[in-house]
Amino acid sequence: MQKKRLILGGTFDPIHYGHLRALEEVREALGMAEATLVPAGHPPHRNSPWAPAEHRLAMTRIAAQQAPGLEVLAYEVEKSGPSYTVDTLRHLRANDPHGFLAMVIGMDAFLRFDTWKDWQEILDLTHLVVIGRPGWPMAELPEALRQVLYERRVQSLGELHQHSLGKIAFHTVTALEISATQIRSLLAGERSARFLLPEAVLDYIAEHRLYHEA
């Protein structure tokens, strides 16, 4: 069965309102009823997350309960080996070869997109929705990505619905100055992180004593 799927991946260490609000704004702009969070199991591009994968998955599931239509895909946590985006997209496409699929990524990630495993294949599996503030550093874009952008960019999110995959759109979202690093630092210093992430996620962190030595 074909479905329209919008996904946002990340370590979610911990998940916070910056993640949730960005995904909500893209979901609404695309006119989609659902969106999916994909917590990474073992991200290859960065140092190991502070919290174990099972805790980050649990926190993501708790956060998803805050909004109707928000789902969690546990594939990367449950599979063995590094969490490569291309493998997740292949998995999704195996179950739905022709459905609409769009992946949200931040501008910083897009500027390094040509370093991702099989990055060109990723563009043959999904749309990219690049989020950020107004204006973006075109001068910092690698030449390979400039060419891809020339070939695949569309001017609005709505145009993505005319294709099932392979296009790139940019979308400005509310700039919430929240980071997981900031939250971990606050909690390690026994300071309040309230109003930066869902209260139920904070309760889970306290219950399991996560980040108290971050």
Side-chain angles (χ1 to χ4, degrees):
M1 176 182 176
Q2 292 186 17
K3 67 176 293 184
K4 292 192 173 186
R5 188 187 289 270
L6 175 68
I7 65 173
L8 172 66
T11 52
F12 303 140
D13 192 24
I15 192 164
H16 54 70
Y17 284 129
H19 302 126
L20 297 168
R21 182 61 196 175
L23 183 58
E24 176 71 0
E25 291 186 13
V26 175
R27 182 201 63 76
E28 187 173 51
L30 278 169
M32 298 175 65
E34 298 177 347
T36 303
L37 295 160
V38 187
H42 308 283
H45 269 72
R46 56 198 302 169
N47 295 332
S48 296
W50 284 96
E54 62 270 21
H55 285 306
R56 293 184 291 103
L57 174 60
M59 289 187 286
T60 305
R61 284 175 166 158
I62 291 169
Q65 293 172 2
Q66 312 298 306
L70 194 53
E71 304 174 337
V72 177
L73 179 67
Y75 173 76
E76 292 188 7
V77 172
E78 293 173 349
K79 72 184 286 289
S80 60
S83 300
Y84 289 111
T85 298
V86 69
D87 293 334
T88 303
L89 295 172
R90 288 168 180 157
H91 167 74
L92 291 172
R93 279 298 178 201
N95 294 311
D96 189 7
H98 306 295
F100 178 94
L101 178 60
M103 179 176 72
V104 179
I105 68 170
M107 179 60 68
D108 289 346
F110 182 67
L111 292 174
R112 303 187 304 274
F113 185 64
D114 62 332
T115 68
W116 292 24
K117 180 185 177 185
D118 298 335
W119 68 274
Q120 291 172 312
E121 183 183 347
I122 289 174
L123 291 169
D124 292 326
L125 294 167
T126 184
H127 293 309
L128 289 186
V129 178
V130 184
I131 58 172
R133 300 174 181 177
W136 54 285
M138 180 67 174
E140 299 178 23
L141 203 61
E143 184 58 37
L145 288 180
R146 291 190 192 206
Q147 181 62 32
V148 162
L149 201 55
Y150 175 77
E151 296 169 353
R152 296 179 180 262
R153 184 177 183 181
V154 295
Q155 296 304 312
S156 70
L157 288 187
E159 291 181 59
L160 296 180
H161 288 296
Q162 301 172 21
H163 314 270
S164 61
L165 52 85
K167 299 299 181 181
I168 303 172
F170 291 80
H171 188 66
T172 300
V173 297
T174 302
L176 298 180
E177 297 292 343
I178 303 172
S179 74
T181 300
Q182 170 198 18
I183 292 169
R184 294 195 302 267
S185 177
L186 289 171
L187 295 173
E190 298 186 356
R191 289 173 290 166
S192 172
R194 190 170 294 148
F195 309 124
L196 297 176
L197 67 170
E199 194 74 18
V201 175
L202 268 178
D203 291 343
Y204 182 93
I205 290 170
E207 178 185 352
H208 295 275
R209 292 189 55 77
L210 303 177
Y211 310 123
H212 63 287
E213 297 178 350

